[in-house]
């Protein structure tokens, strides 16, 4: 089966601009998660979708971040406006249940 | 906050077993232990997981102590391609993975 696909793989934007990251989960996986690692820190949970519903967005850092999963398929994570501290690697993962998690390769976001 | 502590780094000889320790002394009774690894710029790759019993799959073995406060990941025959950062993770709230800092494992020829 195809894995979790994320794009772009890299994005460099200026402070104040908007960036949208996309994640295509494995087909049939109802659960979708976003994680991120910012410089020097550990990988942290951002949010969890079950189909199109947000189950837990407790890890979202602030209201500049907006995640959507229309139709319960792919998901987008928008950062608007981007700040320097948003730089890092954003990972998406999906699972059929809550046991096996497959991660994508991540999007490296650099805000300058 | 991370619920696991691991050594920062360790070396292993190619062909030998690699034993990676992890402490998770605050783990709750229904929280699973997962191991993932990250090779260079790839995403985290699943290795194994367990709750109470020892587990084995084609990649590794997971030994969990009886009190569940620590565990050991065993790579039976390390190869150069096993060089990676290995994460010991506790799954909280039934779905959320709490990553620690990981152990950088270097397999040497």
């Amino acid at each position: 089966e195809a894995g979790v696909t994320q794009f772009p793989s890299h994005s460099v934007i200026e402070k104040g601009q908007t960036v949208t990251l996309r994640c295509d989960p494995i087909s049939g996986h109802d659960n979708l998660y976003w994680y991120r690692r910012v410089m020097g820190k550990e990988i942290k949970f951002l949010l969890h979708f079950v189909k199109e519903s947000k189950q837990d967005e407790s890890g979202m850092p602030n209201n500049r971040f907006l995640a959507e999963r229309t139709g319960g398929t792919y998901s987008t994570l928008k950062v608007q406006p981007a700040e320097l501290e948003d730089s890092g690697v954003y990972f998406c993962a999906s699972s059929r249940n809550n046991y096996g998690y497959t991660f994508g390769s991540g999007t490296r976001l650099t805000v300058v | 906050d991370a619920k696991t502590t691991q050594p920062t780094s360790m070396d292993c000889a190619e062909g030998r077993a690699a034993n990676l320790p992890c402490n998770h002394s605050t783990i709750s009774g229904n929280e699973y232990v997962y191991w993932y690894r990250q090779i260079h710029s790839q995403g985290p790759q699943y290795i194994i997981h367990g709750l109470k019993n020892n587990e084995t799959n084609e990649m590794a073995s997971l030994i969990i102590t009886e009190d569940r406060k620590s565990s050991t990941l065993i790579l039976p025959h390390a190869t150069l391609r096993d060089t990676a950062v290995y994460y010991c993770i506790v799954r909280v709230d039934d779905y959320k993975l709490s990553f620690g800092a990981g152990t950088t494992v270097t397999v040497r020829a």
Side-chain angles (χ1 to χ4, degrees):
Chain A
E1 60 182 2
V4 175
T5 305
Q6 293 187 246
F7 48 94
S9 58
H10 294 81
S11 181
V12 181
I13 62 171
E14 293 185 349
K15 176 183 173 181
Q17 289 186 323
T18 297
V19 63
T20 300
L21 314 180
R22 173 167 169 152
C23 169
D24 284 66
I26 292 172
S27 179
H29 282 194
D30 288 340
N31 296 279
L32 187 148
Y33 317 82
W34 285 96
Y35 287 79
R36 77 169 181 176
R37 178 198 279 124
V38 296
M39 183 68 73
K41 303 287 188 178
E42 296 152 2
I43 298 173
K44 292 288 189 184
F45 168 86
L46 295 179
L47 87 161
H48 171 211
F49 282 101
V50 177
K51 297 184 179 179
E52 67 276 8
S53 299
K54 291 178 188 174
Q55 293 297 297
D56 181 354
E57 51 184 334
S58 62
M60 295 287 263
N62 51 61
N63 59 11
R64 296 185 293 104
F65 289 75
L66 175 64
E68 295 180 321
R69 192 183 182 194
T70 307
T73 55
Y74 71 91
S75 174
T76 58
L77 179 64
K78 183 192 302 187
V79 185
Q80 179 182 30
E83 298 290 344
L84 298 179
E85 64 264 24
D86 301 331
S87 295
V89 183
Y90 290 76
F91 293 104
C92 174
S94 72
S95 69
R96 190 178 305 278
N97 48 40
N98 283 327
Y99 290 95
Y101 307 87
T102 302
F103 280 81
S105 295
T107 294
R108 182 173 296 277
L109 174 65
T110 303
V111 182
V112 297
Chain B
D1 292 335
K3 297 191 70 171
T4 63
T5 55
Q6 302 174 249
T8 303
S9 64
M10 64 181 293
D11 286 359
C12 177
E14 187 179 22
R16 305 295 290 267
N19 296 294
L20 282 64
C22 177
N23 288 322
H24 31 79
S25 58
T26 61
I27 195 169
S28 298
N30 61 346
E31 292 177 339
Y32 281 75
V33 177
Y34 281 74
W35 284 83
Y36 276 74
R37 71 182 183 183
Q38 191 172 16
I39 297 174
H40 196 43
S41 59
Q42 299 176 21
Q45 177 191 21
Y46 170 81
I47 301 173
I48 199 167
H49 76 280
L51 183 62
K52 297 179 182 178
N53 300 321
N54 297 336
E55 302 288 344
T56 296
N57 62 21
E58 65 277 6
M59 288 183 69
S61 294
L62 173 61
I63 309 297
I64 303 175
T65 58
E66 192 169 344
D67 63 8
R68 301 209 328 119
K69 292 184 177 182
S70 65
S71 61
T72 301
L73 178 74
I74 301 172
L75 307 177
H77 305 285
T79 71
L80 298 179
R81 288 181 294 180
D82 291 324
T83 292
V85 179
Y86 286 76
Y87 294 100
C88 174
I89 299 162
V90 171
R91 192 190 75 176
V92 301
D93 298 332
D94 290 331
Y95 57 84
K96 192 182 305 182
L97 300 180
S98 176
F99 283 79
T103 296
T104 299
V105 174
T106 303
V107 180
R108 303 191 185 279

